[in-house]
Amino acid sequence: MPVQQEQPHSPPSEIIDSSSSSTCDDESWVWAQIKAEARRDAESEPALASYLYSTILFHSSLSRSLSFHLGNKLCSSTLLSTLLYDLFLNAYSTDASLPCAAVADLRASRLRDPACTSFSHCLLDYKGFLAIQAQRVSHRLWIQGRKPLALALQSRITDVFAVDIHPNVKIGKGILLDHATGVVIGETTVIGNNVSILQHVTLGGTGKVGGDRHPKIGDGVLIGAGATILGNVKIGDGVKIGAGSLVLIDVPAWTTAVGNPARLVGGKEQPKKHQEVPGESMDHTSFISEWSDYII
């Protein structure tokens, strides 16, 4: 029997803004959208019906669906899916910030990436999104002192998603890891809200010295593919890091850093519209008019 399609609710007026100001009130709307999309896809592609039912339609909430999906993605012969499901669901049930962050990250992927066709597509298939959600749980374990389990989870995230984020990393909301392959983020990194990071980005240290040794990324930052930021440097709000750049110094807010080693380009006042924030606009080339030796 064909699966009946659920009519999606009208989106809230603020849906065009993926900022961290979105609240958990959005969760019910996003979950309704995900279920409607899954029903539509199951009807149009019967080969996926069982998969969509078990991962989305069977579950009563986004937290349960995400816990089930992550548990099955990250399990191994010795780290069972049932154990991971209980681990994730307990985290989501006792820490309201986790489902809120997941909703903000879903919105970020859906709105910033033109290749993301639906919320359910992101939930099921975007390894950057899934890696961040799993890391948030590993971070919670880390700060609770359950470091062996946090590190074991980090290892599975790296194996499965090709994304290596230390459990101690503090990550804000509204994060997009676009493509995500090869992203490496070191232990004392801090990432703000509404940040977009492309593939093969490294946020690392400068050697084997311990302590606070990794970058601090402000809100609304865009970090291009293959960029490397090393050391305990501050990347200000609204900064744009060009693809392939090597950044070893602080970058002031609303400035572009590009090149190897990176040099600073332009700089402007804080934009009045969120669409102009680099981390949300995803505009990688607006600095070129100020890049004096750029030749076509």
Side-chain angles (χ1 to χ4, degrees):
M1 178 180 294
V3 179
Q4 295 298 315
Q5 182 175 354
E6 178 178 309
Q7 287 297 111
H9 300 281
S10 299
S13 59
E14 73 273 14
I15 192 66
I16 60 170
D17 183 359
S18 61
S19 70
S20 61
S21 61
S22 61
T23 69
C24 284
D25 293 338
D26 296 328
E27 184 178 353
S28 59
W29 181 84
V30 170
W31 179 235
Q33 286 289 100
I34 290 171
K35 289 194 296 182
E37 293 161 357
R39 289 190 175 97
R40 176 201 65 200
D41 292 343
E43 186 175 60
S44 64
E45 186 53 77
L48 291 175
S50 178
Y51 171 62
L52 292 168
Y53 181 81
S54 63
T55 54
I56 293 176
L57 297 173
F58 173 78
H59 301 282
S60 59
S61 67
L62 175 61
S63 294
R64 288 183 176 274
S65 172
L66 189 53
S67 297
F68 177 85
H69 192 43
L70 285 172
N72 280 282
K73 283 281 189 179
L74 296 173
C75 68
S76 69
S77 59
T78 54
L79 196 60
L80 301 182
S81 61
T82 51
L83 182 151
L84 291 175
Y85 173 77
D86 289 341
L87 178 69
F88 287 119
L89 187 58
N90 177 265
Y92 281 106
S93 300
T94 56
D95 187 344
S97 70
L98 294 176
C100 287
V103 169
D105 295 345
L106 280 166
R107 288 160 52 107
S109 296
R110 181 71 181 94
L111 297 173
R112 296 179 209 164
D113 184 359
C116 186
T117 58
S118 65
F119 288 110
S120 61
H121 175 208
C122 178
L123 171 66
L124 296 177
D125 304 325
Y126 266 42
K127 66 180 183 179
F129 167 78
L130 294 171
I132 293 173
Q133 309 322 308
Q135 191 279 340
R136 294 189 199 282
V137 175
S138 73
H139 176 69
R140 187 172 184 272
L141 294 169
W142 184 269
I143 62 177
Q144 289 175 338
R146 303 174 71 184
K147 294 185 177 181
L149 183 55
L151 292 169
L153 190 54
Q154 178 200 3
S155 177
R156 290 301 299 154
I157 295 167
T158 304
D159 290 345
V160 174
F161 299 127
V163 176
D164 192 349
I165 309 175
H166 193 279
N168 190 53
V169 173
K170 300 175 180 66
I171 301 178
K173 297 193 294 184
I175 307 299
L176 169 63
L177 289 191
D178 196 2
H179 301 289
T181 300
V183 169
V184 177
I185 303 178
E187 179 182 9
T188 59
T189 302
V190 178
I191 299 174
N193 299 313
N194 306 315
V195 173
S196 294
I197 301 174
L198 276 80
Q199 68 271 19
H200 294 290
V201 164
T202 297
L203 306 179
T206 57
K208 64 177 184 178
V209 176
D212 193 358
R213 61 196 185 279
H214 295 103
K216 308 299 179 285
I217 310 298
D219 296 340
V221 172
L222 172 60
I223 306 178
T228 299
I229 306 173
L230 299 179
N232 187 13
V233 297
K234 182 177 180 181
I235 308 301
D237 294 345
V239 162
K240 185 184 301 183
I241 307 294
S245 298
L246 172 62
V247 180
L248 303 171
I249 59 173
D250 291 352
V251 180
W254 312 107
T255 303
T256 295
V258 63
N260 186 352
R263 59 175 164 135
L264 305 183
V265 180
K268 62 179 183 180
E269 295 181 0
Q270 180 174 345
K272 295 181 174 59
K273 298 184 295 183
H274 75 88
Q275 293 94 333
E276 298 174 354
V277 176
E280 298 194 42
S281 71
M282 303 296 290
D283 184 351
H284 293 264
T285 60
S286 61
F287 67 89
I288 288 178
S289 62
E290 302 177 58
W291 186 244
S292 59
D293 57 356
Y294 187 86
I295 299 172
I296 298 178

